[in-house]
Amino acid sequence: MAITFYDLVDREGRRYSPYGWRVRMALAHKGLDATVELCWHSDKKKLAFSGQHLVPVLLDGGKPVSDSWNIACYLDEAYPDRPTLMDGPQGRSFAGFLNSWTDTIIGRRLVRSLYLDILRSLHPQADAREFRRRREERNGATLEALHANRARDFEDINRAMLPLNDLLARQPFVAGATPAYPDYIVFGTLQMPRRLGIEPLGPQQDSVMRWRDAVAKLFNGLGDSTS
Amino acid sequence: MAITFYDLVDREGRRYSPYGWRVRMALAHKGLDATVELCWHSDKKKLAFSGQHLVPVLLDGGKPVSDSWNIACYLDEAYPDRPTLMDGPQGRSFAGFLNSWTDTIIGRRLVRSLYLDILRSLHPQADAREFRRRREERNGATLEALHANRARDFEDINRAMLPLNDLLARQPFVAGATPAYPDYIVFGTLQMPRRLGIEPLGPQQDSVMRWRDAVAKLFNGLGDSTS
């Protein structure tokens, strides 16, 4: 069956969507090939078939699946003979909790402090004015004001991540001895600043940094690829 | 084999140690009976055999195991034929992450805001002066100052718990469709204010509250027992 994967792209061809990265790693983990269709912010027409306008979207043999969490669950259900992303009910609960935790505690602070960098890197055909308008409305502040608050956001992120650093001081991967979807959730979110050349992690995150390097090297260095 | 379980007690016979509750629920989950030996704060002589001075301690057929996390891992290893507390590597990773998360993000703020209540409830033979001295030293503030900061601590706790509330809006227990050690970790920490008659949870924690009630009813209402 042919899989098409719709992901986000910036003006330099970089893909930095946290959710796109989760799916990208998940596909590699399951050993599934996919044709990639790149979209830019506000390139919505391309995704209309999925009934919504956000990447990532997977089109698997004509069946559209949107939202990275739905896609991960779908891949484990549709391809049970391939390596599992989430192992058993407790593994799925772990991924479910991490998904919420990463998005609300880490990702929200991270993305708002990076909006100005994302704006500068938007694809030339993307609607930069609309990008700014929506995000300033949602956050009740200009992108410049959000950018100015970055140091404090990064401090909060580093404090909140200490339990993850504790876990990774005791075991090589978030999922245990080998990597799985819980790893890709957090890694995906950390790929966003990484692709933009920004380091949010402080020195206290020594185990997280070691782990991030190890995850980037998986699947022939997929996490380090320039596209 | 005879198991003895050393737990903490206050002047009214209440047991409110978060770590004691984790073990109490874990023993019930595995269907293991234990003779309970109650200790009060600074009742260290009783625990000397374990090579340290903190509850909970389990003495199983002459083998001492201390620290709630070690005890949970020990119980799954020593009694593999009984219901598992942590299911597979991802389940164990989940419990390991939640253990750090609950202790550092939730428990630390919770316990410092309750010290004054714990002090008032200490067993008559406990060393109240030593209790106060150690905690004021560790926190660099009087217990009265920590108490005065309670509203802000509770606010931080409620904000940090939102990912857990999200998870519990989607499934009945932290571990999935049925309860397991990930549930007892968080429940144990919430038992401390509950036994002292204090409610740290705000109305936004609707799913956490429903779940807490359900966990309290397990094992013939063990979590609601007055001892």
Side-chain angles (χ1 to χ4, degrees), chain B residues 121-164:
Chain B
S121 83
L122 283 185
H123 193 280
Q125 287 173 271
D127 189 341
R129 256 195 9 196
E130 179 69 3
F131 178 92
R132 175 186 281 274
R133 195 189 61 76
R134 281 178 175 253
R135 279 149 191 85
E136 294 192 337
E137 198 177 283
R138 194 186 302 157
N139 289 280
T142 65
L143 300 195
E144 285 74 12
L146 294 170
H147 177 88
N149 196 44
R150 180 185 280 182
R152 208 173 314 158
D153 272 333
F154 281 9
E155 253 179 54
D156 288 345
I157 288 167
N158 276 280
R159 203 169 15 247
M161 279 184 76
L162 287 175
L164 192 76

Side-chain angles (χ1 to χ4, degrees), chain A residues 132-150:
Chain A
R132 176 187 279 274
R133 194 190 61 76
R134 281 177 175 253
R135 279 149 192 86
E136 295 192 336
E137 198 176 284
R138 195 185 303 157
N139 290 279
T142 65
L143 300 194
E144 285 74 11
L146 294 170
H147 177 87
N149 196 44
R150 181 186 279 181

